[in-house]
Amino acid sequence: MVSHFHGDHVGGLLDHPRARIVAGGAGADHALSLRGLTATRHAILPALLPDDLRDRLDPVESFARADVAGLTAWDLLGDRSLLAVDLPGHMPGHLGLLFTSGGRQVLLVGDAAWTTRSYRDLKPPSRLARNVMHDWPTTLSTLAVLHALDAAHPDLLILPAHCPEGHAAWYAGA
Ligand SMILES: [Zn+2]
């Protein structure tokens, strides 16, 4: 399951040459369409993408819809135990993953927020970071959605990929 295709989120794909790859179809199309310096400018590193990515891709849109908490979601295992959640803005097809672990609901949000503080205090990334975001207004609206989810569901652990504070909360609850 790939949240999005930025180079720092796909480093393990080449280690799993037979695995199916679940990802947003738009994200895969975007990543595969870019080459050279243009790809680098979009934080895509083509050398990290399997040559047969297209053949092994299961676009998330091919799974049954199972919207949750007002968010578009897809049921990856058919029993609502593992939901891919649409968290748009950071990159085309950017996804989160919702599941239960140790009795607690966890929402991995990839780069939809970079820190816990960002969604909790509704603090967007700096203006300098705008260049990295595919769609800045949508990035902000997704951050607002995470902020509201956090406020409404205090037991839900929302975990950004790059947040040490979030990782500490994860290990504390494990
Ligand atoms: Zn990213």
Side-chain angles (χ1 to χ4, degrees), residues 6-173:
H6 282 160
D8 58 329
H9 290 259
V10 296
L13 286 181
L14 294 177
D15 293 332
H16 302 281
R18 297 173 60 192
R20 301 298 301 174
I21 297 167
V22 177
D29 288 344
H30 178 72
L32 290 169
S33 71
L34 301 177
R35 293 276 182 274
L37 200 55
T38 308
T40 308
R41 253 191 251 119
H42 286 82
I44 304 293
L45 302 176
L48 294 179
L49 301 177
D51 292 337
D52 59 353
L53 171 60
R54 180 80 64 194
D55 297 332
R56 291 196 283 129
L57 182 71
D58 288 330
V60 76
E61 297 84 357
S62 67
F63 292 82
R65 279 277 295 269
D67 297 358
V68 60
L71 296 167
T72 300
W74 295 270
D75 187 356
L76 300 185
L77 297 179
D79 59 2
R80 297 186 66 94
S81 64
L82 189 65
L83 301 182
V85 180
D86 188 30
L87 297 174
H90 179 69
M91 186 191 168
H94 183 278
L95 299 171
L97 197 60
L98 178 66
F99 56 93
T100 299
S101 174
R104 186 175 194 187
Q105 278 216 303
V106 179
L107 178 59
L108 306 182
V109 298
D111 284 353
W114 279 332
T115 63
T116 299
R117 230 167 254 198
S118 179
Y119 69 75
R120 187 153 291 158
D121 301 340
L122 210 48
K123 279 194 171 169
S126 75
R127 296 175 66 86
L128 288 173
R130 284 190 188 200
N131 290 338
V132 182
M133 305 300 178
H134 172 70
D135 179 337
W136 181 251
T138 305
T139 296
L140 296 182
S141 58
T142 292
L143 193 63
V145 166
L146 295 179
H147 176 76
L149 265 181
D150 180 55
H153 303 281
D155 289 341
L156 173 66
L157 176 59
I158 297 176
L159 195 54
H162 297 289
C163 179
E165 187 186 333
H167 293 178
W170 165 269
Y171 290 120

